[in-house]
Amino acid sequence: MTTDTSRSPAEPVATTAGGNDAPRPRALAAFLKRYTTLLILLALMAVFSGLSPQFLTSLNLKNLLVVQVTVCCMAFAAILPLIVGEFDLSLGYALGFIMMLGACLGGLGCGAAVIIPAMLAAGLAIGVLNGLLRIWFNISSFIATLGVGILLSGVTQGMSGGSVLYAGIPPILTAAGQDEVLGLGISVWLTLVLALVLVFVLEHTPFGRQLYAIGGSERVAFLAGIRLNLYKVLAFAGAGLLVGIAALFELGQSGGANPLFGPELLLPAYAAAFLGVTTYRPGYFNVPGAVIAIVLLAVGFNGLNLLGAPYWLQPIFNGIVLIVAVITAAAEGRQILK
Amino acid sequence: MGRTEDGTSRNGRRRRALLLAALLTATGPAFAADEYRGPTEPAKAPPGIKLAIVSCAASLKGCQIPAEAAAEAAKAIGWQTTIFDGKANPKTQSSAMLDALAWGANVIISSSIDYRSIQLALGQAKKAGVPVVSVGQGGDTPNALPVLEPGQLAWAFAIDPDNLALGRAIGEWIVRDAGGKANVVAFNDKEFDSVDTQHKGIMEVFAKCGGCTADEQSFSANQIATNLGQQVVGYLRAHPAVTYVYMPYDPAAFAVAAALRQAGLGKRVKLASLLGDEENLDLIRRGDVQVADVAFDTTYEGYAAVDQIIRHLNKQPLFEPHGENVPMLVLDKTNLPEKGNWVASSGYKEKFLALWK
């Protein structure tokens, strides 16, 4: 290697060993901080590849990704309210309700042209309701969304009659959930497109930047002329719409709607959203970070499964990863404040 | 679906006489619970098989005991086996089944998982040519076969007790215990086909009991940890004449027993349930609210699953019924095992292993 003497010493450039290498460790440290979760993921993949010959097979990786699409969409849904400083605890219940709605409509003989828009509209309506309860009635988002969620769980059970509904699910939904294109599940491709759209909207449009501004400081955002209430309702509405998409994928994958399903996906979605704060844009809720976090947790589950690890090791693994990542995020946050 | 005896006798007097005879003699099915009624045709176990077992939840005995029994049987014949944990969540169950495929399984046993919620995994298994066999979820003989939607997938075959007979057995025990004048509330959880079939069995018995009154109520599994106890207590306060409560599976009965005890209703009503979990049998031993439990041998289910898999792999005819006559018995204070779960003492493990040599 040679030293590039044409650059200023202050610039972070590649240098030979023994030269002026101060900028390089700083850049490396910044990179490591920014992609800690990704590095843990790669390290974990290397370990599991060494221990299990089945891990790094295309079948396994394909399967690993396809079952994560619902959690991914749920994490995206969690992120939108989190960005503006709010929580949506209705997400899991809403997923169950929207799936049940789709299954009920299928059972009544409705086709995809009715079911898909109805499910998306239901998600949107739930999100708007959450937003209005938060803004108009000034109820804490914890309480408002929890109340809506519990209400939805009752409606879901009532609609189901206590049974799993599976009749009349449109073939287009099951195809989207279960079939493959170019070696990956259709739902995986669609989730990637959704992630890219969200990254664009959140990071490259005034709307997205204003959402982050509200989460940074409501007062400053208000003084800057941002319509706080409108944007918060939109954030909740967006979350509802994303849950609607998650419900479409899940109904297609599972092939039926169970009246008890949904709430258990709330915590994985929030875990991914919080874990995602450590990566890509450290200190901020962000979509790529959440995706990496979901893949990390999924790799842990999958790898331990392939190794035949006892069932109680998986939650221990997930807990450790979450704690380590949040500690990293907290350190990163302090760094940002400095 | 279902067997009904309504058409067997049009003469009311004769029917009443038959019922009385049944009340006097029946504490379960019409055969000795410890009698071996499984296959007798040998089936040599093929070598080098990788058997994956996906348990609905490692923390639930009803899922885990058959899974561990199948693993024990598979290891005894030299098969490689791993148990995957479905964590009581259809999403994780589907994911675990996909992991089982990636692990290279030749056959998968699904323990107490609903096929209607894991279509993605069943589709992948079908593509890979890996048969998925069910234990503990109904859907095969001696129970009714599932009615599938176009494109919907189910099991290659399934191992289950006779669910209608289980319901009838506990119903007959209640009628007998009440001297033919039972006032019962029977709870149902329609989420599970097997439970719904058992419920039909118990209600069939009450319908034929002239001196009995029976009401039906529903609940869902997620209420067990929250308000199921309150629901049952509330019902009993509103219906003071009810003296028997039937819960369709033991974890629910255990929660209800605590609620009844706390509400001071433990002496007024008798609780009966189904599964034969150890903690519920302890309640019966202590005379604590629960009085009866219809148990079936879940370890036998695991062995029966491996037996049918061997026959399937050998392309031999499967044993009929596919459930291989899982042993069952109504347990009360008079016939409880001294400790632990009830296990049939027919020596079935040795019999199965001998068939597979």
Side-chain angles (χ1 to χ4, degrees):
Chain A
M1 285 177 81
T2 55
T3 303
D4 181 359
T5 52
S6 65
R7 289 173 186 267
S8 152
E11 283 182 85
V13 291
T15 58
T16 53
N20 181 7
D21 58 358
R24 182 168 177 171
R26 274 205 299 273
L28 185 64
F31 176 83
L32 289 176
K33 275 183 179 175
R34 191 173 179 188
Y35 291 105
T36 306
T37 314
L38 185 60
L39 294 172
I40 294 173
L41 169 64
L42 294 174
L44 212 58
M45 289 180 77
V47 170
F48 285 135
S49 304
L51 294 176
S52 167
Q54 291 95 9
F55 179 78
L56 217 55
T57 59
S58 64
L59 173 70
N60 186 47
L61 297 179
K62 212 163 52 178
N63 288 346
L64 188 152
L65 291 175
V66 75
V67 289
Q68 298 307 321
V69 296
T70 312
V71 181
C72 249
C73 293
M74 294 288 280
F76 299 161
I79 283 174
L80 286 183
L82 283 172
I83 288 174
V84 294
E86 303 288 352
F87 271 90
D88 186 347
L89 299 184
S90 72
L91 298 176
Y93 298 106
L95 178 82
F97 166 77
I98 299 167
M99 284 175 68
M100 191 55 72
L101 176 70
C104 271
L105 291 172
L108 292 171
C110 298
V114 173
I115 292 174
I116 294 172
M119 289 173 73
L120 294 175
L124 194 62
I126 292 166
V128 171
L129 175 66
N130 281 330
L132 293 180
L133 286 173
R134 169 71 187 95
I135 301 303
W136 273 8
F137 296 97
N138 200 24
I139 308 171
S140 150
S141 59
F142 269 107
I143 298 165
T145 57
L146 188 61
V148 167
I150 292 170
L151 182 157
L152 289 173
S153 73
V155 177
T156 305
Q157 301 221 18
M159 286 161 65
S160 71
S163 305
V164 177
L165 301 189
Y166 56 92
I169 308 295
I172 191 172
L173 274 189
T174 50
Q178 298 174 25
D179 290 354
E180 291 176 10
V181 167
L182 301 175
L184 273 183
I186 294 172
S187 54
V188 176
W189 288 116
L190 292 173
T191 305
L192 282 174
V193 171
L194 185 64
L196 291 174
V197 169
L198 281 171
V199 169
F200 176 77
V201 170
L202 290 173
E203 297 181 16
H204 301 285
T205 66
F207 172 74
R209 286 193 286 270
Q210 282 162 346
L211 289 181
Y212 277 111
I214 293 169
S217 168
E218 281 194 19
R219 183 164 176 77
V220 171
F222 174 74
L223 292 172
I226 297 171
R227 298 172 67 186
L228 296 181
N229 291 349
L230 173 66
Y231 276 62
K232 285 197 172 188
V233 172
L234 288 175
F236 278 110
L241 187 61
L242 288 166
V243 176
I245 295 170
L248 288 171
F249 288 153
E250 187 57 38
L251 189 61
Q253 284 194 351
S254 62
N258 184 317
L260 303 184
F261 183 73
E264 64 268 45
L265 290 189
L266 181 72
L267 281 180
Y270 272 96
F274 280 104
L275 196 49
V277 170
T278 62
T279 304
Y280 181 67
R281 285 187 71 192
Y284 296 92
F285 293 103
N286 69 82
V287 168
V291 172
I292 291 169
I294 285 166
V295 176
L296 172 66
L297 295 174
V299 161
F301 177 81
N302 173 258
L304 291 172
N305 255 350
L306 291 181
L307 293 176
Y311 68 93
W312 46 264
L313 259 184
Q314 288 165 359
I316 291 175
F317 167 83
N318 285 354
I320 289 172
V321 167
L322 191 60
I323 291 166
V324 168
V326 169
I327 288 171
T328 314
E332 185 59 36
R334 283 194 293 275
Q335 197 71 20
I336 289 167
L337 286 174
K338 282 178 190 173
Chain B
M1 150 183 159
R3 291 177 275 174
T4 172
E5 291 168 0
D6 286 345
T8 58
S9 168
R10 294 185 182 185
N11 183 309
R13 192 180 295 171
R14 178 174 154 73
R15 199 162 62 188
R16 276 196 296 277
L18 284 172
L19 176 62
L20 185 62
L23 293 180
L24 291 172
T25 57
T27 56
F31 51 84
D34 284 336
E35 181 188 339
Y36 176 75
R37 298 172 64 240
T40 51
E41 185 76 22
K44 188 173 167 53
I49 297 297
K50 287 179 86 174
L51 173 67
I53 304 160
V54 182
S55 166
C56 73
S59 55
L60 296 177
K61 285 182 186 170
C63 305
Q64 197 64 5
I65 290 175
E68 286 173 358
E72 179 186 277
K75 279 177 189 160
I77 49 177
W79 289 1
Q80 197 180 338
T81 183
T82 298
I83 300 178
F84 296 82
D85 182 12
K87 298 186 188 301
N89 175 348
K91 189 104 196 104
T92 313
Q93 289 159 358
S94 193
S95 177
M97 207 167 278
L98 293 175
D99 287 350
L101 289 171
W103 176 70
N106 302 109
V107 186
I108 297 174
I109 291 179
S110 149
S111 177
S112 298
I113 294 173
D114 190 341
Y115 68 89
R116 295 169 298 191
S117 302
I118 55 160
Q119 289 295 302
L120 170 70
L122 290 177
Q124 295 295 326
K126 188 181 175 191
K127 272 186 204 165
V130 174
V132 183
V133 176
S134 167
V135 168
Q137 190 60 31
D140 203 345
T141 56
N143 303 294
L145 297 175
V147 180
L148 298 178
E149 284 287 297
Q152 194 179 31
L153 298 169
W155 318 118
F157 50 87
I159 311 297
D160 270 288
D162 184 337
N163 289 313
L164 208 59
L166 281 170
R168 283 176 182 153
I170 192 70
E172 285 162 359
W173 185 95
I174 291 171
V175 173
R176 192 175 63 138
D177 188 63
K181 292 179 180 172
N183 196 333
V184 192
V185 57
F187 282 78
N188 187 13
D189 183 350
K190 294 180 197 164
E191 183 197 354
F192 306 105
D193 283 348
S194 53
V195 169
D196 202 36
T197 307
Q198 290 151 10
H199 184 78
K200 287 186 176 82
I202 193 170
M203 294 312 291
E204 209 176 80
V205 172
F206 297 141
K208 290 175 184 168
C209 170
C212 300
T213 311
D215 191 13
E216 297 175 79
Q217 294 286 307
S218 290
F219 72 103
S220 59
N222 65 350
Q223 285 181 260
I224 295 172
T226 55
N227 59 7
L228 178 61
Q230 293 164 24
Q231 183 184 339
V232 178
V233 167
Y235 178 89
L236 291 173
R237 297 233 190 270
H239 300 82
V242 171
T243 50
Y244 287 86
V245 176
Y246 168 72
M247 298 307 297
Y249 43 83
D250 281 346
F254 197 77
V256 166
L260 294 179
R261 199 182 307 122
Q262 284 161 11
L265 294 167
K267 301 284 181 206
R268 196 193 99 189
V269 294
K270 292 179 174 181
L271 180 65
S273 177
L274 191 150
L275 269 187
D277 279 358
E278 193 173 340
E279 48 269 39
N280 292 72
L281 301 189
D282 274 341
L283 290 179
I284 302 174
R285 284 188 192 101
R286 296 200 303 263
D288 185 5
V289 190
Q290 184 154 355
V291 292
D293 200 323
V294 57
F296 55 95
D297 192 331
T298 45
T299 301
Y300 181 98
E301 288 185 313
Y303 274 77
V306 171
D307 180 75
Q308 294 283 41
I309 287 169
I310 292 171
R311 291 169 200 280
H312 177 80
L313 294 174
N314 289 348
K315 302 195 189 314
Q316 288 177 253
L318 297 187
F319 181 78
E320 284 291 349
H322 289 177
E324 295 204 343
N325 296 320
V326 178
M328 63 175 84
L329 180 66
V330 179
L331 297 168
D332 59 21
K333 213 159 190 173
T334 63
N335 63 348
L336 280 172
E338 270 185 32
K339 58 179 181 177
N341 293 65
W342 173 73
V343 180
S345 57
S346 59
Y348 60 80
K349 287 187 184 180
E350 292 73 22
K351 287 186 170 75
F352 276 121
L353 290 172
L355 293 176
W356 302 338
K357 277 183 183 165

